[in-house]
Amino acid sequence: MHSSRREFLNRMAGTAATGILGSAPPAMTASCVAERGPAPPRPAAGPKIRAIAFDAFPILDPRPIAALAEELCPGKGALLSEAWHTRQFEYTWLRVAAREYVDFWQVTADALAFAERALRLDLGEDRRARLLGAYLDLDAWPDVPPALESLRRAGVRLSFLSNFTPGMLGAAIERSGLGGLFDHVLSTDRARTYKPDPRAYRMALDAFGLDREEILFVPFAGWDAAGARWFGYPTFWVNRLGLPAEELGVSADATGATLTDLVDFVTAGA
Protein backbone atom coordinates (compact mmCIF):
# COMPACT_ATOMS: atom_id res chain seq x y z
CA MET A 1 0.00 0.00 0.00
CA HIS A 2 1.41 3.36 -0.93
CA SER A 3 1.77 6.03 1.71
CA SER A 4 -0.08 9.33 1.97
CA ARG A 5 1.03 12.05 -0.41
CA ARG A 6 -0.23 14.54 2.18
CA GLU A 7 2.41 13.31 4.62
CA PHE A 8 5.04 13.46 1.90
CA LEU A 9 4.23 17.03 0.83
CA ASN A 10 4.04 18.31 4.38
CA ARG A 11 7.44 16.81 5.15
CA MET A 12 9.01 18.15 1.97
CA ALA A 13 7.61 21.64 2.57
CA GLY A 14 9.34 21.91 5.93
CA THR A 15 12.66 20.19 5.33
CA ALA A 16 14.48 17.90 2.97
CA ALA A 17 13.19 14.39 3.51
CA THR A 18 15.77 11.91 4.68
CA GLY A 19 14.16 8.50 4.31
CA ILE A 20 13.66 5.73 1.82
CA LEU A 21 13.18 2.05 1.95
CA GLY A 22 14.83 -0.14 -0.55
CA SER A 23 15.24 -3.64 -1.79
CA ALA A 24 18.28 -5.61 -2.83
CA PRO A 25 18.52 -6.36 -6.54
CA PRO A 26 15.79 -8.99 -6.94
CA ALA A 27 16.24 -12.33 -8.61
CA MET A 28 14.56 -12.13 -12.00
CA THR A 29 12.62 -15.33 -11.28
CA ALA A 30 9.89 -13.60 -9.29
CA SER A 31 6.74 -13.07 -11.31
CA CYS A 32 3.98 -11.99 -8.98
CA VAL A 33 2.88 -8.38 -8.74
CA ALA A 34 1.70 -6.91 -5.45
CA GLU A 35 -1.91 -5.83 -5.18
CA ARG A 36 -2.69 -2.13 -5.38
CA GLY A 37 -3.70 -0.31 -2.26
CA PRO A 38 -6.34 2.44 -2.01
CA ALA A 39 -5.68 5.79 -3.67
CA PRO A 40 -3.85 8.33 -1.49
CA PRO A 41 -5.85 11.19 0.00
CA ARG A 42 -5.65 14.60 -1.65
CA PRO A 43 -2.63 16.36 -0.18
CA ALA A 44 -2.21 19.77 1.37
CA ALA A 45 -0.29 22.40 -0.58
CA GLY A 46 3.43 21.73 -0.90
CA PRO A 47 6.25 21.33 -3.42
CA LYS A 48 4.98 20.27 -6.84
CA ILE A 49 6.50 17.36 -8.74
CA ARG A 50 7.48 18.79 -12.10
CA ALA A 51 9.58 15.92 -13.46
CA ILE A 52 10.06 12.19 -12.93
CA ALA A 53 13.26 10.21 -13.47
CA PHE A 54 12.70 6.46 -13.93
CA ASP A 55 15.04 3.57 -13.44
CA ALA A 56 14.74 1.13 -16.34
CA PHE A 57 12.80 -1.67 -14.69
CA PRO A 58 9.69 0.16 -13.44
CA ILE A 59 9.20 0.70 -17.19
CA LEU A 60 10.69 -2.47 -18.71
CA ASP A 61 9.63 -5.99 -17.70
CA PRO A 62 12.77 -8.10 -16.96
CA ARG A 63 10.96 -11.40 -16.39
CA PRO A 64 11.50 -12.73 -19.94
CA ILE A 65 15.24 -12.83 -19.23
CA ALA A 66 14.64 -15.36 -16.45
CA ALA A 67 12.19 -17.28 -18.62
CA LEU A 68 14.80 -17.56 -21.36
CA ALA A 69 17.42 -18.72 -18.85
CA GLU A 70 15.13 -21.55 -17.78
CA GLU A 71 14.36 -22.43 -21.39
CA LEU A 72 18.05 -22.64 -22.24
CA CYS A 73 19.11 -24.30 -18.97
CA PRO A 74 16.16 -26.43 -17.79
CA GLY A 75 16.16 -26.88 -14.04
CA LYS A 76 19.00 -24.42 -13.56
CA GLY A 77 17.58 -21.25 -15.07
CA ALA A 78 16.52 -19.76 -11.74
CA LEU A 79 19.95 -20.30 -10.22
CA LEU A 80 21.62 -18.83 -13.29
CA SER A 81 19.37 -15.79 -13.30
CA GLU A 82 19.93 -15.09 -9.63
CA ALA A 83 23.70 -15.53 -9.77
CA TRP A 84 23.93 -13.44 -12.94
CA HIS A 85 21.77 -10.59 -11.67
CA THR A 86 23.40 -10.46 -8.24
CA ARG A 87 26.93 -10.37 -9.64
CA GLN A 88 25.86 -7.80 -12.21
CA PHE A 89 25.07 -5.26 -9.52
CA GLU A 90 27.99 -6.25 -7.32
CA TYR A 91 30.30 -5.54 -10.25
CA THR A 92 28.84 -2.07 -10.78
CA TRP A 93 29.32 -1.19 -7.11
CA LEU A 94 32.86 -2.60 -7.03
CA ARG A 95 33.81 -0.72 -10.17
CA VAL A 96 32.48 2.55 -8.77
CA ALA A 97 34.40 2.03 -5.54
CA ALA A 98 37.61 1.11 -7.39
CA ARG A 99 37.14 3.71 -10.15
CA GLU A 100 37.55 1.00 -12.76
CA TYR A 101 34.69 1.78 -15.11
CA VAL A 102 33.39 -0.34 -17.97
CA ASP A 103 29.91 0.11 -19.39
CA PHE A 104 26.85 -1.85 -18.27
CA TRP A 105 26.82 -4.08 -21.34
CA GLN A 106 30.34 -5.26 -20.48
CA VAL A 107 29.39 -5.66 -16.81
CA THR A 108 26.40 -7.76 -17.85
CA ALA A 109 28.56 -10.00 -20.04
CA ASP A 110 31.19 -10.37 -17.32
CA ALA A 111 28.55 -11.23 -14.71
CA LEU A 112 27.04 -13.89 -16.98
CA ALA A 113 30.48 -15.44 -17.56
CA PHE A 114 31.05 -15.61 -13.80
CA ALA A 115 27.62 -17.10 -13.12
CA GLU A 116 28.17 -19.71 -15.82
CA ARG A 117 31.48 -20.79 -14.29
CA ALA A 118 30.17 -20.66 -10.72
CA LEU A 119 27.35 -23.06 -11.62
CA ARG A 120 29.66 -25.24 -13.75
CA LEU A 121 27.56 -24.69 -16.85
CA ASP A 122 28.72 -24.69 -20.45
CA LEU A 123 26.37 -22.32 -22.24
CA GLY A 124 28.32 -22.11 -25.44
CA GLU A 125 28.50 -19.07 -27.68
CA ASP A 126 24.94 -19.28 -29.03
CA ARG A 127 23.10 -19.57 -25.71
CA ARG A 128 25.34 -16.93 -24.14
CA ALA A 129 24.57 -14.52 -26.99
CA ARG A 130 20.83 -15.19 -26.70
CA LEU A 131 20.85 -14.43 -22.97
CA LEU A 132 22.74 -11.18 -23.47
CA GLY A 133 20.52 -10.28 -26.41
CA ALA A 134 17.44 -10.60 -24.20
CA TYR A 135 18.42 -7.25 -22.69
CA LEU A 136 17.82 -5.70 -26.11
CA ASP A 137 14.36 -7.28 -26.46
CA LEU A 138 12.61 -6.00 -23.34
CA ASP A 139 8.98 -4.89 -23.54
CA ALA A 140 7.24 -2.39 -21.28
CA TRP A 141 5.00 -3.57 -18.45
CA PRO A 142 1.33 -3.36 -19.59
CA ASP A 143 0.49 -0.43 -17.31
CA VAL A 144 3.33 1.74 -18.63
CA PRO A 145 2.00 3.42 -21.82
CA PRO A 146 -1.27 4.71 -20.30
CA ALA A 147 0.51 5.82 -17.14
CA LEU A 148 3.16 7.77 -19.03
CA GLU A 149 0.49 9.39 -21.19
CA SER A 150 -1.42 10.42 -18.06
CA LEU A 151 1.68 11.95 -16.51
CA ARG A 152 2.48 13.89 -19.66
CA ARG A 153 -1.09 15.20 -19.84
CA ALA A 154 -0.63 16.39 -16.27
CA GLY A 155 2.35 18.43 -17.43
CA VAL A 156 5.03 16.24 -15.81
CA ARG A 157 8.32 15.92 -17.68
CA LEU A 158 9.76 12.41 -17.92
CA SER A 159 13.16 10.80 -18.24
CA PHE A 160 15.00 7.55 -17.84
CA LEU A 161 17.90 7.58 -15.39
CA SER A 162 19.41 4.14 -15.76
CA ASN A 163 22.65 2.18 -15.59
CA PHE A 164 21.74 0.76 -19.01
CA THR A 165 23.95 1.92 -21.87
CA PRO A 166 22.44 4.35 -24.40
CA GLY A 167 22.16 1.48 -26.88
CA MET A 168 20.28 -0.71 -24.41
CA LEU A 169 17.86 2.11 -23.58
CA GLY A 170 17.36 3.00 -27.24
CA ALA A 171 16.55 -0.60 -28.15
CA ALA A 172 14.02 -0.88 -25.31
CA ILE A 173 12.29 2.38 -26.19
CA GLU A 174 11.98 1.36 -29.85
CA ARG A 175 10.74 -2.15 -29.08
CA SER A 176 8.20 -0.91 -26.51
CA GLY A 177 6.86 1.87 -28.71
CA LEU A 178 7.70 4.53 -26.11
CA GLY A 179 9.40 6.94 -28.48
CA GLY A 180 8.50 10.58 -27.85
CA LEU A 181 7.31 10.04 -24.28
CA PHE A 182 10.60 10.91 -22.57
CA ASP A 183 12.14 14.37 -22.47
CA HIS A 184 15.52 12.85 -21.62
CA VAL A 185 17.06 9.39 -21.87
CA LEU A 186 19.86 9.48 -19.31
CA SER A 187 22.41 6.69 -19.14
CA THR A 188 24.93 6.77 -16.32
CA ASP A 189 27.44 5.75 -18.97
CA ARG A 190 27.71 9.47 -19.76
CA ALA A 191 29.10 10.07 -16.28
CA ARG A 192 31.16 6.85 -16.41
CA THR A 193 29.71 5.66 -13.14
CA TYR A 194 26.74 3.77 -11.71
CA LYS A 195 24.00 4.40 -9.22
CA PRO A 196 24.13 4.89 -6.25
CA ASP A 197 27.08 7.21 -6.97
CA PRO A 198 25.76 10.78 -6.46
CA ARG A 199 27.28 11.72 -9.82
CA ALA A 200 24.78 9.38 -11.45
CA TYR A 201 21.73 10.87 -9.72
CA ARG A 202 22.93 14.41 -10.47
CA MET A 203 22.33 13.80 -14.17
CA ALA A 204 18.59 14.42 -13.77
CA LEU A 205 19.22 17.71 -11.98
CA ASP A 206 21.45 18.88 -14.80
CA ALA A 207 19.05 17.68 -17.51
CA PHE A 208 15.86 19.19 -16.09
CA GLY A 209 17.35 22.31 -14.50
CA LEU A 210 15.02 21.93 -11.51
CA ASP A 211 15.44 21.78 -7.74
CA ARG A 212 15.84 18.32 -6.22
CA GLU A 213 12.45 18.38 -4.48
CA GLU A 214 10.76 18.97 -7.87
CA ILE A 215 12.15 15.73 -9.38
CA LEU A 216 10.59 12.45 -8.29
CA PHE A 217 12.84 9.41 -8.68
CA VAL A 218 11.12 6.09 -9.45
CA PRO A 219 13.23 2.95 -8.82
CA PHE A 220 12.55 -0.76 -9.17
CA ALA A 221 14.93 -1.81 -6.37
CA GLY A 222 15.10 -0.58 -2.81
CA TRP A 223 18.87 0.00 -2.90
CA ASP A 224 18.31 2.42 -5.81
CA ALA A 225 15.58 4.19 -3.89
CA ALA A 226 17.96 4.58 -0.97
CA GLY A 227 20.65 6.06 -3.15
CA ALA A 228 18.28 8.57 -4.68
CA ARG A 229 16.85 9.52 -1.32
CA TRP A 230 20.28 10.05 0.16
CA PHE A 231 21.03 12.28 -2.83
CA GLY A 232 17.96 14.33 -1.95
CA TYR A 233 15.27 13.27 -4.42
CA PRO A 234 11.74 12.51 -3.31
CA THR A 235 11.25 8.88 -4.25
CA PHE A 236 8.31 6.66 -5.17
CA TRP A 237 9.29 3.00 -5.05
CA VAL A 238 7.45 0.92 -7.65
CA ASN A 239 7.76 -2.36 -5.78
CA ARG A 240 6.37 -4.63 -8.48
CA LEU A 241 7.71 -7.79 -6.84
CA GLY A 242 6.32 -7.07 -3.37
CA LEU A 243 9.77 -7.22 -1.75
CA PRO A 244 10.49 -6.27 1.87
CA ALA A 245 12.23 -3.08 2.85
CA GLU A 246 15.99 -2.94 3.14
CA GLU A 247 17.46 -2.44 6.62
CA LEU A 248 19.09 0.91 5.83
CA GLY A 249 17.56 3.04 8.56
CA VAL A 250 15.51 5.07 6.08
CA SER A 251 11.98 4.91 4.69
CA ALA A 252 10.28 5.58 1.35
CA ASP A 253 8.35 8.75 0.64
CA ALA A 254 5.76 6.51 -0.98
CA THR A 255 5.44 3.00 -2.36
CA GLY A 256 3.11 1.33 -4.82
CA ALA A 257 2.92 -1.83 -6.89
CA THR A 258 2.32 -0.31 -10.33
CA LEU A 259 2.72 2.84 -12.38
CA THR A 260 -1.01 3.41 -11.91
CA ASP A 261 -0.24 3.91 -8.21
CA LEU A 262 2.45 6.37 -9.20
CA VAL A 263 0.00 8.37 -11.34
CA ASP A 264 -2.46 8.49 -8.44
CA PHE A 265 0.30 9.74 -6.16
CA VAL A 266 1.55 12.45 -8.49
CA THR A 267 -1.79 13.72 -9.74
CA ALA A 268 -3.34 13.81 -6.28
CA GLY A 269 -1.37 17.00 -5.65
CA ALA A 270 -1.98 18.57 -9.06
Side-chain angles (χ1 to χ4, degrees):
M1 181 182 298
H2 47 274
S3 65
S4 166
R5 180 157 160 79
R6 181 186 301 275
E7 294 174 4
F8 161 71
L9 288 169
N10 287 342
R11 185 163 72 251
M12 287 296 294
T15 184
T18 59
I20 191 68
L21 50 90
S23 70
M28 294 301 187
T29 55
S31 61
C32 29
V33 175
E35 296 181 0
R36 292 184 58 208
R42 179 161 291 277
K48 180 177 175 63
I49 297 301
R50 298 175 60 191
I52 299 176
F54 291 92
D55 176 47
F57 287 135
I59 302 293
L60 306 172
D61 183 355
R63 293 174 298 175
I65 301 172
L68 179 61
E70 181 59 29
E71 176 188 331
L72 298 178
C73 302
K76 293 188 176 179
L79 289 174
L80 177 62
S81 295
E82 184 168 2
W84 182 16
H85 187 56
T86 298
R87 191 63 81 192
Q88 192 180 42
F89 283 93
E90 288 175 348
Y91 281 176
T92 65
W93 298 330
L94 287 168
R95 286 188 172 278
V96 169
R99 299 182 182 178
E100 292 288 344
Y101 180 78
V102 297
D103 71 22
F104 194 68
W105 183 258
Q106 184 63 54
V107 164
T108 300
D110 292 343
L112 177 58
F114 175 87
E116 180 182 355
R117 291 198 311 273
L119 296 173
R120 294 178 170 80
L121 298 174
D122 183 9
L123 294 175
E125 185 175 343
D126 180 66
R127 287 191 293 177
R128 197 176 301 117
R130 287 182 64 188
L131 285 166
L132 288 172
Y135 273 90
L136 302 177
D137 292 328
L138 296 174
D139 288 312
W141 296 88
D143 60 314
V144 166
L148 296 184
E149 293 284 2
S150 294
L151 291 167
R152 287 183 64 84
R153 285 195 300 271
V156 179
R157 299 161 66 190
L158 308 176
S159 79
F160 273 107
L161 178 53
S162 170
N163 285 341
F164 275 25
T165 66
M168 294 168 77
L169 288 171
I173 289 170
E174 181 176 359
R175 180 176 175 84
S176 298
L178 300 178
L181 291 176
F182 292 94
D183 297 86
H184 303 287
V185 179
L186 304 176
S187 165
T188 62
D189 185 55
R190 275 199 218 162
R192 294 183 63 80
T193 191
Y194 294 107
K195 298 176 290 179
D197 187 336
R199 292 175 297 165
Y201 295 114
R202 182 174 296 278
M203 294 179 71
L205 277 182
D206 295 339
F208 285 119
L210 298 172
D211 294 331
R212 295 182 197 213
E213 62 268 22
E214 296 176 303
I215 301 173
L216 184 69
F217 184 73
V218 178
F220 182 76
W223 66 263
D224 199 9
R229 200 64 213 95
W230 289 330
F231 181 75
Y233 287 138
T235 303
F236 186 101
W237 180 21
V238 177
N239 186 7
R240 291 190 182 273
L241 303 182
L243 295 170
E246 292 286 358
E247 295 296 331
L248 291 172
V250 287
S251 59
D253 293 305
T255 302
T258 68
L259 254 62
T260 305
D261 293 331
L262 171 67
V263 172
D264 291 343
F265 175 77
V266 172
T267 58

